[in-house]
Amino acid sequence: MTTALITGITGQDGSYLAELLLGKGYEVVGMVRRSSTVTFERIEHIQDDICIVQGDLHDQGSLVGVLEEYKPDEVYNLAAQSFVPTSWSQPILTGEVTGLGVARLLEAIRLVNPKIHFYQASSSEMFGKVMEVPQRESTPFYPRSPYGVAKVYGHWITINYRESFDMFATSGILFNHESPRRGMEFVTRKISNTAAKIKLGQAKELRLGNLEAQRDWGFAGDYVEAMWMMLQHSTPENFVIGTGETHAVREFCELAFGYVGLNYQDYVVQDPRFYRPAEVDLLISDPSRAQAELGWRRKVSFKQLVEMMTESDLQRNSKK
């Protein structure tokens, strides 16, 4: 039986990846930080089928201990401080976890078993102030937030360990991917949840920042499949994963509110407090390499994604 270690298993991507790997017959080990309030909500339905262990990307000794005890064949590093606005208020923490945490994990793998296949969750935020449109594997990085900067470090340290120590270390440069399990602080979930609450009479308005910001949004369940495919590939490579389409925040609002029979213009208020210090205006992927070499295809369309999220929030809020 193949064993996989997932850091960040309680997050959106970790929960979908755990489901995928369990379906493929893997033994799944999920690493969580010691906390009195660990949230297992996203993995509650599979918690009996996975092994939860304590470890911390701040503490290399704990990483070595987990690797020695559970002997994973594959490691998926999905743990990060992943909310861009928080990276501005906590830039040092973001660098420690999202950047240096990758180096600690790679060094632990090198010490314990350099044959482990390693996946690093890189991000389209590394492109930031984009140097070309669309963005592909060869596009230069120009991050526009402490989060993006930390992700660039994690990306390049992965490449350095791959090239220096002949490790199977791969990076997936994933564009925005959402789902009903997305955190409430993210703009997509904020929109779908508030649209549902307004429909149910539980809220009156939705305050947002830049409605013209454009993103390449896909479904997280599709993207974790690409992660797995990368670790089954014959050689460790970097791959851009996205839809190749771009949509504005305004369009997301239009679809979500339209799904519940409302006009977003009656409820959405633009608020300067939610503008980024340095905006990333247009992120759009060129996923052709992943499609050609991995055979990966997204299955859920943008419209289906928005409707899936809004319907889920409608059902959840109607139980309150």
Side-chain angles (χ1 to χ4, degrees):
M1 185 183 286
T2 306
T3 300
L5 171 67
I6 304 173
T7 72
I9 195 168
T10 58
Q12 169 189 255
D13 292 8
S15 66
Y16 281 111
L17 179 60
E19 284 177 351
L20 177 79
L21 297 180
L22 287 171
K24 294 183 180 297
Y26 276 62
E27 183 174 333
V28 176
V29 179
M31 193 182 88
V32 298
R33 279 179 301 137
R34 169 73 184 91
S35 169
S36 56
T37 55
V38 176
T39 305
F40 291 110
E41 183 185 348
R42 294 185 182 94
I43 56 169
E44 209 169 359
H45 60 298
I46 54 171
Q47 209 169 328
D48 292 342
D49 302 317
I50 59 184
C51 178
I52 299 293
V53 300
Q54 289 181 4
D56 197 318
L57 290 179
H58 286 100
D59 181 0
Q60 193 170 331
S62 70
L63 303 177
V64 169
V66 169
L67 293 172
E68 286 180 337
E69 184 171 352
Y70 295 93
K71 298 177 173 53
D73 304 285
E74 299 174 356
V75 172
Y76 296 84
N77 183 39
L78 309 185
Q81 189 303 100
S82 60
F83 189 46
V84 173
T86 297
S87 78
W88 284 105
S89 58
Q90 299 182 30
I92 310 305
L93 172 72
T94 301
E96 280 284 348
V97 178
T98 309
L100 285 174
V102 186
R104 293 188 191 102
L105 185 50
L106 281 164
E107 182 64 7
I109 290 170
R110 187 182 74 83
L111 292 171
V112 175
N113 178 11
K115 301 288 185 204
I116 289 171
H117 283 205
F118 174 78
Y119 172 84
Q120 166 59 13
S122 288
S123 167
S124 60
E125 288 284 336
M126 301 189 306
F127 295 122
K129 186 176 180 180
V130 298
M131 298 287 100
E132 64 177 345
V133 178
Q135 293 90 52
R136 50 184 65 87
E137 289 81 4
S138 58
T139 302
F141 300 134
Y142 195 140
R144 298 273 278 170
S145 67
Y147 170 74
V149 172
K151 279 292 185 185
V152 169
Y153 177 89
H155 181 82
W156 276 110
I157 200 70
T158 300
I159 291 170
N160 272 261
Y161 268 72
R162 175 169 79 214
E163 294 177 350
S164 302
F165 304 115
D166 195 28
M167 289 167 62
F168 196 109
T170 186
S171 283
I173 307 174
L174 271 55
F175 280 65
N176 294 63
H177 44 289
E178 318 297 316
S179 76
R181 300 179 194 172
R182 192 53 142 156
M184 288 291 185
E185 68 273 24
F186 289 87
V187 67
T188 50
R189 187 71 193 285
K190 195 175 171 183
I191 295 168
S192 64
N193 185 53
T194 309
K197 290 178 84 167
I198 289 172
K199 178 65 177 178
L200 296 167
Q202 298 171 3
K204 290 188 169 62
E205 67 175 20
L206 169 60
R207 292 187 168 267
L208 294 173
N210 182 10
L211 296 184
E212 309 313 323
Q214 296 183 51
R215 293 291 184 274
D216 183 329
W217 276 304
F219 173 51
D222 290 344
Y223 287 35
V224 298
E225 191 172 9
M227 298 176 187
W228 176 78
M229 287 176 163
M230 284 180 222
L231 291 200
Q232 316 317 308
H233 194 50
S234 55
T235 54
E237 312 272 352
N238 303 325
F239 289 97
V240 162
I241 304 297
T243 68
E245 299 173 3
T246 187
H247 300 275
V249 173
R250 185 182 298 281
E251 194 178 343
F252 203 107
C253 292
E254 195 174 353
L255 285 171
F257 279 84
Y259 182 76
V260 295
L262 300 174
N263 183 344
Y264 81 96
Q265 292 173 314
D266 297 334
Y267 304 97
V268 174
V269 178
Q270 281 193 274
D271 188 331
R273 287 180 303 160
F274 297 110
Y275 279 79
R276 289 187 182 188
E279 184 56 82
V280 174
D281 296 310
L282 177 60
L283 290 173
I284 178 168
S285 68
D286 174 5
S288 56
R289 186 165 177 234
Q291 291 168 352
E293 293 189 29
L294 301 176
W296 177 81
R297 296 285 187 283
R298 65 97 174 251
K299 301 180 182 75
V300 177
S301 71
F302 175 69
K303 185 172 185 287
Q304 288 171 326
L305 172 66
V306 179
E307 293 182 350
M308 174 202 302
M309 292 176 67
T310 309
E311 176 62 30
S312 173
D313 282 324
L314 206 53
Q315 291 186 21
R316 190 180 51 80
N317 285 301
S318 63
K319 293 172 185 171
K320 290 181 177 178

